[in-house]
């Protein structure tokens, strides 16, 4: 199965930016034959036709891009979530959906990740995983109204690196016990335990 994100990046590099196959091989670690197969592939994402029409987000795209650039330089816990970015855009007059803002942010972060991984400025993580090879885990913060009061929650994200299937569970605290429970419940629902896990440098997972 072709990784559609990687396929898109390789084609953009070669056909739009005129980057050689040799340079793409150096950036991705893929073989020349694999790269040529990607370039010859007729696969397109999405596979259905989407009409090109103006988006309510278009007038705010430059502002949102600038915000995302600033947020990317902050620590993970200090960054604004997609919900917060959407709320800030609404204050500026944006009346579109949250989903469109979230999709824009995901695309921007994916491109940033590829640029960092292939330019040597970021830690390299393989872009293609085999089924069952690895899972990724991280925490985020969110709020919910409990007993009529806004309450900060620690949200555990467990995602399969190949299929991108994920499980999200919320806790009041971010502790070793909560980490173990989140992983136990995620593996129970997903139906198995991958060969390895990818963690950020979290105090709940890494002592030193």
């Amino acid at each position: 199965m072709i990784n559609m994100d990687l396929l898109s990046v390789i084609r953009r590099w070669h056909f739009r930016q005129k980057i050689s196959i040799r340079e793409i091989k150096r950036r991705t670690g893929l073989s020349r034959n694999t790269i040529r197969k990607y370039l010859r592939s007729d696969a397109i994402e999405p596979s259905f036709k989407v009409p090109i029409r103006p988006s309510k987000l278009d007038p705010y795209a430059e502002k949102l891009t600038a915000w995302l650039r600033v947020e990317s330089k902050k620590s993970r816990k200090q960054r604004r979530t997609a919900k917060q970015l959407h709320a800030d855009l609404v204050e500026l007059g944006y009346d579109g959906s949250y989903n469109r803002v979230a999709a824009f942010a995901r695309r921007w972060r994916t491109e940033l990740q590829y640029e960092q991984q292939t330019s040597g400025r970021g830690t390299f993580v393989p872009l293609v995983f085999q089924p069952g090879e690895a899972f990724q885990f991280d925490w985020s913060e969110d709020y919910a109204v409990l007993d009529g009061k806004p309450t900060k929650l620690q949200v555990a994200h467990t995602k399969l690196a190949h299929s991108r299937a994920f499980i999200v569970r919320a806790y009041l605290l971010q502790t070793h016990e909560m980490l173990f429970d989140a992983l136990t419940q995620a593996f129970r629902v997903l139906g198995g335990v991958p060969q390895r896990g990818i963690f950020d440098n979290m105090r709940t997972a890494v002592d030193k």
Side-chain angles (χ1 to χ4, degrees):
M1 173 179 280
I2 294 177
N3 182 309
M4 300 305 297
D5 287 338
L6 181 58
L7 170 63
S8 176
V9 170
I10 288 176
R11 288 182 134 183
R12 173 162 53 82
W13 281 345
H14 186 71
F15 293 120
R16 295 186 185 179
Q17 301 179 17
K18 307 302 180 184
I19 296 174
S20 68
I21 292 178
R22 180 179 179 181
E23 175 62 16
I24 294 174
K25 177 179 182 295
R26 186 190 69 80
R27 294 185 179 188
T28 63
L30 297 173
S31 69
R32 291 174 183 267
N33 288 338
T34 298
I35 294 170
R36 291 191 181 100
K37 180 184 71 174
Y38 274 33
L39 294 175
R40 291 195 301 266
S41 173
D42 293 328
I44 299 175
E45 185 183 23
S47 58
F48 51 87
K49 293 183 178 180
V50 178
I52 300 175
R53 53 179 179 270
S55 165
K56 292 182 179 180
L57 188 57
D58 289 345
Y60 304 92
E62 186 174 346
K63 171 66 71 175
L64 181 54
T65 297
W67 286 352
L68 288 168
R69 188 174 295 112
V70 171
E71 296 303 314
S72 69
K73 298 177 182 178
K74 299 179 181 179
S75 67
R76 188 179 299 273
K77 291 184 179 180
Q78 292 177 326
R79 295 174 192 168
R80 283 181 287 180
T81 65
K83 286 185 178 180
Q84 291 169 324
L85 292 171
H86 174 257
D88 291 340
L89 286 176
V90 169
E91 291 185 2
L92 296 180
Y94 173 68
D95 62 351
S97 70
Y98 157 77
N99 289 336
R100 191 170 293 275
V101 174
F104 184 99
R106 282 195 301 271
R107 286 195 301 271
W108 188 90
R109 287 166 181 153
T110 297
E111 291 192 4
L112 175 65
Q113 184 182 44
Y114 282 132
E115 289 178 6
Q116 291 177 333
Q117 291 171 349
T118 56
S119 66
R121 293 196 301 271
T123 301
F124 178 78
V125 177
L127 301 179
V128 179
F129 296 88
Q130 296 301 313
E133 176 185 348
F135 70 91
Q136 295 166 295
F137 182 92
D138 204 357
W139 292 99
S140 68
E141 293 183 348
D142 211 330
Y143 286 84
V145 177
L146 302 179
D147 294 329
K149 298 179 180 179
T151 304
K152 180 187 288 188
L153 299 176
Q154 305 299 319
V155 184
H157 302 256
T158 307
K159 179 182 293 185
L160 296 181
H162 172 74
S163 67
R164 313 307 292 170
F166 65 92
I167 302 294
V168 177
R169 290 178 67 85
Y171 300 90
L172 294 176
L173 298 173
Q174 188 181 129
T175 65
H176 283 87
E177 290 79 7
M178 300 302 99
L179 168 65
F180 300 150
D181 182 73
L183 292 175
T184 299
Q185 298 304 323
F187 297 149
R188 178 183 60 81
V189 174
L190 295 171
V193 181
Q195 297 174 18
R196 62 191 176 97
I198 300 171
F199 295 84
D200 197 356
N201 189 24
M202 308 178 305
R203 284 179 297 177
T204 51
V206 180
D207 289 330
K208 293 183 180 180

